[in-house]
Amino acid sequence: MTTYAALLRGVNVGGHRKVPMAELRTVITELGYRDVRTYLQSGNAVFSVPTTAGEPPDTGAVAAVLGRGLAERFGFAVDLLVRDHAYLRSVVADCPFPVDGVDGRHLHVTYLSKRVGDDRLAGLDRAAFLPEEFRLGDRALYLYAPEGLGRSALAAALARPARWKGVVTTSRNWNTVTRLVEMTRD
């Protein structure tokens, strides 16, 4: 068995695209996955998948199966990413910002469906946004927003859809990032 986290994008925000967590657990269970748990109401699910021939299933394949199941149940497409414990742990280990003493609501990770280059972020005058900062990682963008995400001009600049064309993105605050590492530990 391999434990994965599914990170759904844009559900349960402002009363739109509702995906109740109990129904999300049901969909994942009906797809044959085990030990299904959810975290918060923002589309985080952890579940186990049997390995085949000693190899863990590909995260992209698991995401595709889950995406089809969600579309059938809820009647709309849900962008999502599936990540395993090792990857989630590496995101925490590779954080370029000091995490001790930082309010977990001020540090965020935007998970990316694929690696991107700095060219996606060209034209952003990083100095103009200080003390807010960002750094690219392995299929992740780290954002430090000391006044919170809701007041972050940098978060707004980074979130422009044209910047991420062809890339599925979904963000979590540091509290959720670290909790998902704990929940996916085998």
Side-chain angles (χ1 to χ4, degrees):
M1 299 291 274
T2 302
T3 304
Y4 294 100
L7 309 169
L8 282 63
R9 181 180 189 281
V11 299
N12 302 335
V13 178
H16 303 304
R17 298 171 43 88
K18 290 189 177 210
V19 176
M21 295 299 98
E23 286 187 58
L24 175 60
R25 289 189 298 272
T26 298
V27 169
I28 296 171
T29 300
E30 288 173 352
L31 291 170
Y33 302 135
R34 300 181 184 145
D35 307 316
V36 181
R37 296 163 283 150
T38 53
Y39 181 66
L40 301 174
Q41 298 297 315
S42 56
N44 303 294
V46 172
F47 53 95
S48 298
V49 180
T51 57
T52 53
E55 292 294 320
D58 174 71
T59 57
V62 174
V65 169
L66 185 51
R68 284 191 298 275
L70 292 171
E72 284 179 23
R73 173 62 62 94
F74 297 107
F76 54 85
V78 176
D79 285 334
L80 67 116
L81 302 173
V82 172
R83 297 292 185 250
D84 64 16
H85 173 74
Y87 173 79
L88 295 170
R89 188 181 66 229
S90 73
V91 166
V92 170
D94 295 343
C95 181
F97 300 111
V99 296
D100 290 339
V102 170
D103 184 327
R105 297 170 298 171
H106 297 163
L107 183 58
H108 294 78
V109 174
T110 299
Y111 294 96
L112 310 171
S113 60
K114 62 183 178 181
R115 285 183 175 88
V116 300
D118 287 329
D119 57 314
R120 294 243 184 193
L121 305 165
L124 279 175
D125 178 3
R126 293 179 186 223
F129 294 100
L130 291 173
E132 298 179 332
E133 297 182 68
F134 73 90
R135 302 279 187 285
L136 272 178
D138 174 20
R139 293 173 292 149
L141 181 133
Y142 299 87
L143 171 64
Y144 175 63
E147 297 298 318
L149 202 59
R151 295 182 179 178
S152 173
L154 180 56
L158 289 169
R160 292 193 179 113
R163 187 174 309 285
W164 303 110
K165 187 175 181 177
V167 179
V168 174
T169 66
T170 188
S171 298
R172 301 296 186 272
N173 73 30
W174 195 250
N175 296 330
T176 300
V177 168
T178 57
R179 182 68 181 125
L180 290 173
V181 170
E182 294 169 14
M183 290 178 72
T184 57
R185 191 170 285 125
D186 292 330

